[in-house]
Amino acid sequence: MFCTKCGSEMPDGTDFCTNCGARMGAASPAAAPAEPASMPAAGMPPVQKKSHKRAVIVGMCVAGVLVAGGAALALTGVLGPLGQGNSSQITVLGSDEGSAEHKDKGSAKEKPAADGDEADEPEQTGSSVKVDLNDQATYAAANLFLSNFTEEHFDRDWYQAGGFDSTDGLSDDEKYKLVKFIWCHFIDNAPYRIEKGDYDNGNSQRVATDVINRELNRLTGLTLSDADMTYDRTPEGQAIPDSAEVHGGYLYLKQEFGQGNYNPPCAIVTGATDLGDNIYELTYEVYSAGGMLLPSDIPEGTYGLPKNQFIAAIQADASMGRTETCTVRVAQGDGAPTFTLLEMGVYD
């Protein structure tokens, strides 16, 4: 028999342990040794508790990868990017920037997929170039772009003729209107482009055709040939000719124009609908400037102001605005998208 206190072996029937003096009592089986900690089944990792050590362990792993690679790598995908903007922090496993399969399921920003299924990656839809009107540079660029047209009443003039639509080719009437538009556009925005003098063909003003086409292409994506720019729309009996002709790389307009367009209508873009293939429908409001302003009197910075401040800056009557839509093609520019006009004044 064994002592239940010290475990010493005693002869059967012994009342007291001769080693420690404890009362032996009834005989009992030998005490079993303490069981060792259970081991996981072969091939199964031990269960880990959530711990702050995870980031430290991962950080050590990342450091190991960098040392083994012999260079500092800009890690993306599995390990997430190194640094965000000007941040000196390193994104490790479990960050929102890491790949879905490695994100920390305990993160408060991410809920686990139902029934253990992994969440599907969202499909990329729409245009590759985004028009975000909450971005100040994009908002300003869109307002300035459309104001090039509204200040010359392009939207109203073309609406009366069924609307401007460059997607189906240009008629002779549309080419004529484009020449008149771009000429007035230069008068109001770049009068130095219009050269004035006494020319051999009896004309007194001209613009280089390559200058016309550069600006026309920037605004509409179109160019015109010398024949396209030549027209004669003089009504019978009218004293002042409404005609134009091209000679030696210059377009000569016979009709004289004044100084410019006072109180030009200016555009404020209020909505952008992505139609796909980098084509957008823009909704915009038009307000006529007051105070005898010319287009050149309105600083470009004005077009980036919020709506109410914009209206006040151009001294417009806020109750006199109108709402219109147009279709544009966008491309990625330097800091903001660039726009070319596809349709304007086209209504069902």
Side-chain angles (χ1 to χ4, degrees), residues 48-165:
Q48 294 182 351
K49 296 180 181 179
K50 290 182 180 179
S51 168
H52 307 311
K53 295 180 179 179
R54 182 181 186 195
V56 175
I57 294 171
V58 172
M60 295 172 62
C61 293
V62 172
V65 171
L66 295 179
V67 171
L73 303 178
L75 302 179
T76 57
V78 174
L79 293 181
L82 285 176
Q84 302 299 310
N86 295 325
S87 172
S88 60
Q89 296 179 346
I90 295 178
T91 302
V92 295
L93 300 185
S95 72
D96 288 333
E97 288 78 11
S99 65
E101 63 179 320
H102 288 95
K103 286 182 179 178
D104 186 353
K105 301 306 179 183
S107 169
K109 295 184 180 180
E110 180 185 341
K111 295 181 180 179
D115 300 327
D117 294 336
E118 291 187 4
D120 294 333
E121 291 290 336
E123 293 184 5
Q124 297 295 325
T125 58
S127 298
S128 59
V129 181
K130 300 302 179 185
V131 176
D132 179 9
L133 296 178
N134 291 317
D135 176 68
Q136 199 272 342
T138 299
Y139 169 75
N143 291 343
L144 180 59
F145 171 76
L146 287 184
S147 293
N148 284 316
F149 297 95
T150 59
E151 70 189 17
E152 302 303 339
H153 306 283
F154 185 94
D155 54 332
R156 297 284 90 186
D157 293 345
W158 286 80
Y159 171 70
Q160 296 170 2
F164 169 75
D165 183 355

Side-chain angles (χ1 to χ4, degrees), residues 8 28 38 62 160 165 167 197 224 231 238 241 245 254-255 278 295 305 345 347:
S8 298
S28 59
S38 59
V62 172
Q160 296 170 2
D165 183 355
T167 63
L224 297 175
Y231 63 85
Q238 180 173 305
E245 58 187 15
K254 292 184 177 296
Q255 184 178 5
N278 292 333
L305 295 174
Y347 302 100

